[in-house]
Amino acid sequence: MRSDEQLRVIRAACTSTDSFFNAARLAAATGLDEKKCGLVPTFVFTTGLLEPAGGHFSRYRPTKKASAIAAAWEKSEEAGLQALRSAWKGQWFARAMRERLGYGPVPREGLVARLLMNANAENHRMRQAEVLLDLLVGIGMVVPDGDGFMNWHDGPCYQGAEQPGGAPPSGGEGESLHASVPQPRRRTAPSARTESVADPYADLDLLALLCPPVLLADLVRLSKDELLELHEHLRGIATLTAKLRGRPVS
């Protein structure tokens, strides 16, 4: 389903005042195909907005959290979407996007890959990851930033990406994954390069260019073979950088 159709079903589910609803009732409320409507409640149930209504596995009713979102939706469309973003900010997909976009805009493909990785899903699930990303864009949690890039709706989360030693964010869920990004440092000593070499990036600190850092939480998702492969790559980088600095590698 398109994200706008999913939102219509989610809104109908959250605002339902019946003793229960199912795919048929959602279809009647939204004018969408019953089969399509039946695809949405299971996902919404896993996010804590629905609960079983009894009698049949496909019968649901809104939770108190969903009723609060429905009340916000009654005020305005934006208020409802904001309430939905707030309700989902602790979900795995929201934490994944917030962490990945914490330092600034990322291409859409990178966000799809991150959703697949965090869900431990194979590439054949890419379409589902794309649909989920479209939904997050639809509710305004992820915002297109132009040229195929996307951004977090509140902008970069980690102030360290712009200011060395910046204070870590506070008040949100998933805040334990703090990291600061070293800022590129320019050499103060006279350069041996001739003035004819006009490369604005040649004297940037290599360490800063390799950041943002890889977190321990990222490493535990790798297999043993992938960790060994990463070790070989890091060993190669260490050897090359030591050679550039004139120090041997033991």
Side-chain angles (χ1 to χ4, degrees):
M1 298 180 71
R2 300 195 314 265
S3 60
D4 60 315
E5 293 176 334
Q6 292 185 64
L7 280 173
R8 285 165 62 185
V9 177
I10 292 172
R11 182 170 183 173
C14 291
T15 58
S16 175
T17 57
D18 295 334
S19 57
F20 74 90
F21 64 82
N22 53 18
R25 293 190 176 186
L26 289 175
T30 61
L32 298 171
D33 181 74
E34 180 178 337
K35 185 177 180 180
K36 285 186 174 182
C37 290
L39 299 174
V40 179
T42 301
F43 168 72
V44 183
F45 169 77
T46 63
T47 65
L49 300 186
L50 303 180
E51 60 186 12
H56 194 271
F57 71 90
S58 63
R59 291 184 175 185
Y60 298 93
R61 62 186 173 214
T63 61
K64 292 182 179 179
K65 185 183 293 187
S67 298
I69 295 174
W73 241 318
E74 288 296 321
K75 297 178 181 178
S76 69
E77 180 72 14
E78 180 52 37
L81 294 178
Q82 183 176 350
L84 189 57
R85 291 195 297 268
S86 179
W88 281 355
K89 68 179 181 180
Q91 297 296 321
W92 70 269
F93 48 83
R95 296 198 307 269
M97 295 296 93
R98 185 177 186 276
E99 179 185 330
R100 186 66 182 88
L101 293 167
Y103 299 99
V106 171
R108 176 185 173 89
E109 293 79 7
L111 298 184
V112 171
R114 187 54 176 265
L115 288 172
L116 287 172
M117 183 185 72
N118 281 53
N120 294 317
E122 302 295 335
N123 284 340
H124 70 275
R125 296 288 187 180
M126 184 175 296
R127 177 56 186 157
Q128 285 92 331
E130 290 176 343
V131 170
L132 177 54
L133 180 57
D134 286 340
L135 179 60
L136 299 183
V137 172
I139 69 174
M141 183 174 283
V142 176
V143 182
D145 199 46
D147 296 327
F149 282 75
M150 316 199 86
N151 209 343
W152 186 250
H153 68 99
D154 282 337
C157 306
Y158 304 129
Q159 296 302 316
E162 298 175 359
Q163 300 175 2
S170 61
E173 300 189 45
E175 297 288 346
S176 60
L177 300 177
H178 296 323
S180 61
V181 178
Q183 297 301 297
R185 299 190 299 271
R186 295 186 178 275
R187 294 195 300 264
T188 56
S191 173
R193 295 182 296 117
T194 63
E195 295 299 324
S196 61
V197 180
D199 184 356
Y201 301 106
D203 58 345
L204 289 178
D205 187 351
L206 179 61
L207 177 62
L209 296 178
L210 292 175
C211 291
V214 176
L215 303 177
L216 180 61
D218 295 321
L219 294 179
V220 297
R221 301 189 184 99
L222 300 179
S223 66
K224 291 182 179 179
D225 291 339
E226 289 170 333
L227 283 173
L228 289 174
E229 184 179 355
L230 176 62
H231 176 269
E232 291 300 321
H233 288 308
L234 293 176
R235 178 72 178 176
I237 292 174
T239 302
L240 290 174
T241 53
K243 182 178 180 180
L244 291 172
R245 293 173 183 264
R247 293 197 299 268
V249 178
S250 59

